[in-house]
Amino acid sequence: MAGYVEKGRILSQELVGPSIWRMRLELPLIAKDAKPGQFIHVKVNDPTCILRRPISIAGTEPGKGILEIIYRIVGKGTEAMSHLKAGDVVDCLGPLGTAFDMDKNHIVGIGGGVGIAPILFMAKKAKPGQMTVVIGGRNKEEVFWKDLFPKTLKELIVTTDDGSYGIKGFSVSVLPELFKNGNVDEACVCGPGIMMRITAQMAKEANVPCEVSMERRMGCGIGTCLGCVCDRADGKGHYKVCVDGPVFKAEEVVL
């Protein structure tokens, strides 16, 4: 089985955005090995929630054995998670899945919604000046993420649909100019499907390698239940997102 089964004590749990929670856990084994793009599978403390919930890792402090997740309430499982408090213990499986390739000189990370979480983890692990990050939301309230990123980024670009903060428009609107003039070695994207499709197409047109993080509902998290498959771009069947991904080269999957 990939990863560790580890029970971690919650250090903090706070509401940071619209139905979005930030949780810090003591998970020394998982935190030690976790890489940006990977996730943990959380056992929900509710007898009616049989399956674990996959949650992207938003950051780690390996020296302190701390792991951070940021998640949105989207159903019964995440609703139950939001009622947990500091001192409670959570059963986790991880780290699971594939990670983003960070062996590049200039990486552009593009995130939308809670898909910003793995991009945040990348930014925390990146060398000073290695990453440019683009995040977007409908309004200022949705781009609270801007305050969580380290100051070591090359640049942080924020867009809002209504123009209440940063650049007015969608996050993808800034990419053509960035790919053209930014000497970009790789684009890494996680978020809504349409955003990832457009980003991958723009990167292809600019001859910039692109990695995407796929989101799927997961049952087992270890490749046995086949509940999280995505279509292969070569037409030769499917990938299991939990073990073959969630991070893929954009040209490998149907977006």
Side-chain angles (χ1 to χ4, degrees), residues 101 104 106-108 110 179 183-189 199-200 202-212 248-251:
D101 179 9
K104 306 290 182 182
H106 183 201
I107 300 169
V108 173
I110 307 100
F179 289 159
N183 296 317
V184 179
D185 298 303
E186 181 183 44
C188 297
V189 56
T199 297
M202 288 180 171
K204 182 179 180 180
E205 291 170 357
N207 200 30
V208 172
C210 181
E211 290 188 319
V212 299
F248 296 92
K249 293 179 181 178
E251 64 269 20

Side-chain angles (χ1 to χ4, degrees), residues 1-2 39 41 51-52 93 96 217-229 239-244:
M1 180 184 297
F39 65 96
H41 223 199
L51 300 176
R52 292 176 180 266
L93 170 62
L96 299 176
R217 291 182 180 274
M218 295 181 186
C220 69
I222 55 173
T224 60
C225 74
L226 305 181
C228 65
V229 297
Y239 285 119
K240 302 172 186 177
V241 172
C242 65
V243 291
D244 298 321

Side-chain angles (χ1 to χ4, degrees), residues 41-107:
H41 223 199
V42 180
K43 186 175 182 180
V44 180
N45 295 356
D46 184 326
T48 66
C49 297
I50 300 172
L51 300 176
R52 292 176 180 266
R53 266 50 179 185
I55 308 290
S56 294
I57 300 169
T60 60
E61 296 177 51
K64 298 180 180 179
I66 296 173
L67 182 142
E68 180 180 309
I69 57 175
I70 300 176
Y71 63 94
R72 185 194 303 274
I73 297 175
V74 293
K76 185 190 297 184
T78 43
E79 171 68 30
M81 285 176 58
S82 72
H83 293 294
L84 296 171
K85 59 185 183 303
D88 289 341
V89 175
V90 181
D91 185 307
C92 301
L93 170 62
L96 299 176
T98 55
F100 285 111
D101 179 9
M102 296 196 62
D103 188 24
K104 306 290 182 182
N105 290 325
H106 183 201
I107 300 169

Side-chain angles (χ1 to χ4, degrees), residues 58-168:
T60 60
E61 296 177 51
K64 298 180 180 179
I66 296 173
L67 182 142
E68 180 180 309
I69 57 175
I70 300 176
Y71 63 94
R72 185 194 303 274
I73 297 175
V74 293
K76 185 190 297 184
T78 43
E79 171 68 30
M81 285 176 58
S82 72
H83 293 294
L84 296 171
K85 59 185 183 303
D88 289 341
V89 175
V90 181
D91 185 307
C92 301
L93 170 62
L96 299 176
T98 55
F100 285 111
D101 179 9
M102 296 196 62
D103 188 24
K104 306 290 182 182
N105 290 325
H106 183 201
I107 300 169
V108 173
I110 307 100
V114 288
I116 297 173
I119 305 300
L120 175 61
F121 191 7
M122 288 188 76
K124 293 175 179 177
K125 289 291 187 182
K127 300 173 184 176
Q130 184 185 10
M131 277 194 75
T132 294
V133 168
V134 181
I135 62 171
R138 287 178 294 182
N139 50 50
K140 184 178 181 179
E141 186 181 29
E142 287 195 357
V143 292
F144 66 90
W145 299 87
K146 67 187 187 305
D147 300 320
L148 304 180
F149 280 89
K151 305 301 182 185
T152 52
L153 291 175
K154 183 180 182 71
E155 187 177 9
L156 175 61
I157 302 171
V158 181
T159 70
T160 51
D161 297 357
D162 65 0
S164 56
Y165 189 91
I167 299 170
K168 184 175 182 179

